[in-house]
Amino acid sequence: MATGIGGEPESSDSLRTFGAVVQALREHHGLTREELGDLVGFSKHTIASVELGRRMPDIDFVEAAEAVLGNTSALRKALEHLERQPGLAAWFRRWAELERQAITLHTYECRMIPGLLQTEAYARQLFLDELPFLTDEQIEANWAARAERQRLLRERPNTAFSFIIEEQVFLRRTGGTEVMREAIDHILGLTQLRNVEIQIMPLVRESHAGLHGPMQLLETPKHKWFAYMEAPECGVLISDPKSVSALNGRYARMRSQALTFQDSVSLLERIRGDL
């Protein structure tokens, strides 16, 4: 991802357009950047960065600004079309922005090693398996974006990361034996981080709360919860409190059904030894 002035992301047409809408609405209501910042709970510098197209606005900013600037829904609708980071699917970008700020992040995956835990070799195998086929440039952009996301594990030590992964993911040997050995070694290394908990859902399990498929949940610094569910060529960001609560309950049940952290580490070590 390219950077601009002061290390902020390089602006895009959609970000500049969004910023222009914010500025127009602010000026229509006779507010300075500082006054708008006070009303929405952000600094005047943040307001300036948004208006200049240098900062991707998050959902909290949009909702607060809508309430102050007339509830026209213009900002909500414009948010859906913002683009900034290459290598991330359009439907995933809003989730990725929330992910960067999360204080709690839960991930359940039954198909593959979650993106935040993947090695480069494992990720590249997934990219090679994409249909329609990706170009070399797309593969490079995808890996660069994924590697950037993975920095969260070490750069946000106060964020609690929880992962539940199906045992079958490690038995499939995606990419071959050497790729899987490296992948497991990498995950075992990440278990040394205090803020990362990894649990394995055993292959044989009579009761399983996660049969509806993969999901992710996160908590923002303002203690709002969001969920994300993905299928081929689409993804759904869920903010409805009732729906998110139900998914949180499902995830909590899965944590009790999966192996404990220590037993999960032991299982990964055994699988690694059998490769």
Side-chain angles (χ1 to χ4, degrees):
M1 180 173 59
T3 56
I5 298 172
E8 290 185 303
E10 209 172 66
S11 184
S12 67
D13 288 343
S14 61
L15 277 173
R16 286 190 291 270
T17 299
F18 182 91
V21 173
V22 173
Q23 181 176 352
L25 289 172
R26 172 179 63 78
E27 293 175 348
H28 177 74
H29 285 79
L31 299 171
T32 66
R33 287 173 173 168
E34 185 171 8
E35 289 169 339
L36 176 60
D38 289 340
L39 291 171
V40 299
F42 290 85
S43 71
K44 65 179 181 181
H45 303 294
T46 297
I47 303 300
S49 291
V50 170
E51 290 187 352
L52 294 172
R54 294 201 301 256
R55 180 186 177 105
M56 176 74 82
D58 59 27
I59 290 179
D60 287 337
F61 173 87
V62 170
E63 291 301 325
E66 280 282 4
V68 171
L69 300 176
N71 271 321
T72 64
S73 290
L75 300 182
R76 294 189 189 97
K77 292 178 180 178
L79 182 65
E80 298 175 1
H81 301 286
L82 291 184
E83 297 182 1
R84 187 186 69 185
Q85 187 169 348
L88 293 180
W91 59 82
F92 187 75
R93 289 177 183 135
R94 289 179 65 190
W95 175 261
E97 287 299 320
L98 289 169
E99 188 180 64
R100 292 175 58 209
Q101 306 165 46
I103 61 173
T104 305
L105 183 66
H106 298 329
T107 301
Y108 165 63
E109 184 56 76
C110 60
R111 308 161 301 174
M112 66 192 77
I113 294 173
L116 289 176
L117 306 180
Q118 292 172 8
T119 62
E120 181 174 354
Y122 185 93
R124 286 182 179 278
Q125 181 61 53
L126 297 181
F127 301 148
L128 288 173
D129 289 336
E130 286 282 350
L131 291 173
F133 296 114
L134 302 179
T135 65
D136 290 344
E137 291 76 15
Q138 288 173 317
I139 290 175
E140 293 304 320
N142 285 357
W143 168 244
R146 190 153 302 177
E148 176 71 17
R149 286 180 58 222
Q150 291 179 354
R151 293 172 55 187
L152 295 175
L153 295 174
R154 299 183 185 277
E155 293 183 354
R156 296 191 62 83
N158 295 322
T159 296
F161 294 90
S162 166
F163 299 89
I164 300 174
I165 311 169
E166 292 288 337
E167 180 182 353
Q168 66 189 31
V169 168
F170 302 98
L171 300 178
R172 184 173 298 122
R173 303 191 186 186
T174 298
T177 300
E178 289 303 320
V179 169
M180 185 52 63
R181 283 182 183 144
E182 181 190 29
I184 294 176
D185 286 342
H186 178 65
I187 290 174
L188 289 172
L190 291 173
T191 63
Q192 302 302 308
L193 299 176
R194 291 194 301 273
N195 62 326
V196 176
E197 181 180 61
I198 296 172
Q199 293 179 262
I200 305 301
M201 185 68 76
L203 196 59
V204 178
R205 193 70 179 82
E206 294 182 3
S207 178
H208 192 329
L211 297 181
H212 291 282
M215 65 177 181
Q216 297 183 68
L217 295 146
L218 64 74
E219 180 185 12
T220 72
K222 293 188 177 181
H223 307 294
K224 293 183 180 179
W225 282 87
F226 295 88
Y228 178 77
M229 304 182 77
E230 188 172 278
E233 306 303 326
C234 66
V236 179
L237 179 64
I238 303 170
S239 58
D240 174 62
K242 183 177 180 180
S243 298
V244 175
S245 177
L247 291 172
N248 251 321
R250 188 181 301 170
Y251 192 85
R253 177 64 64 86
M254 280 192 286
R255 292 184 84 166
S256 70
Q257 294 171 334
L259 299 178
T260 66
F261 173 71
Q262 291 299 332
D263 287 345
S264 296
V265 170
S266 295
L267 177 58
L268 285 175
E269 290 173 339
R270 289 199 300 273
I271 294 174
R272 170 65 172 81
D274 290 338
L275 290 175

